[in-house]
Amino acid sequence: MPTEADLPYLRRCVELATQALEAGDEPFGSVLVSADGAVLAEDHNHVASGDHTQHPELALARWAAAHMSADERAAATVYTSGEHCPMCAAAHAWVGLGRIVYVSSSEQLVAWLAELGVPEPPVRPLPIRTVAPGVPVEGPVPGLAEQVRELHRRFHAGT
């Protein structure tokens, strides 16, 4: 379960997801944090560009591969507003990043989108543990997850 020390990073993920929504994009945001608690990189979704691989978790995995040693990557944590999709979970595992802490789960997102009448995505939203079983994963986070749900409602309602 996420700790009090995780909450500022998780709140930042929700802020980044809000920025994505305000930019007309799907509300997802992520932060890469070193073992000593330093924020190394952060990003939000950029899929409105038409490239649906522009997820923040994939961008952070690429950044980590280019800028961190294997030991630094293994000791790092990726915080994110929503559980990694299979593409991002695989990238995370392939570059050897450590722990993932997410605000809302894929299971929650699927339920929310179904309630909103949103068609299923072209890729099955598998849990991280199914795609990358060796990666330590924690989440969801009650309270913050409801904030993420509202961001998705706003995005799909066009408000």
Side-chain angles (χ1 to χ4, degrees), residues 11-138:
R11 287 188 190 103
R12 178 63 182 149
C13 292
V14 175
E15 289 173 5
L16 290 164
T18 303
Q19 287 177 16
L21 176 67
E22 291 168 355
D25 220 317
E26 294 180 22
F28 292 93
S30 302
V31 178
L32 175 63
V33 178
S34 69
D36 66 1
V39 173
L40 301 174
E42 59 182 32
D43 201 3
H44 62 72
N45 247 24
H46 297 281
V47 301
S49 68
D51 179 352
H52 289 275
T53 67
Q54 295 298 314
H55 296 186
E57 304 87 355
L58 184 58
L60 295 182
R62 288 180 174 143
W63 187 93
H67 296 96
M68 300 171 75
S69 71
D71 288 344
E72 289 169 332
R73 291 192 303 269
T77 299
V78 173
Y79 294 92
T80 189
S81 62
E83 184 174 7
H84 290 30
C85 73
M87 172 184 71
C88 295
H92 185 105
W94 279 119
V95 303
L97 281 164
R99 176 175 170 245
I100 297 171
V101 183
Y102 59 81
V103 172
S104 59
S105 69
S106 295
E107 182 179 355
Q108 288 173 307
L109 180 62
V110 167
W112 300 338
L113 296 181
E115 288 172 9
L116 294 168
V118 176
E120 290 187 16
V123 175
R124 185 175 306 232
L126 302 171
I128 295 167
R129 288 182 179 99
T130 300
V131 178
V135 175
V137 180
E138 298 175 36

Side-chain angles (χ1 to χ4, degrees), residues 135-147:
V135 175
V137 180
E138 298 175 36
V141 181
L144 288 178
E146 286 70 28
Q147 292 178 34

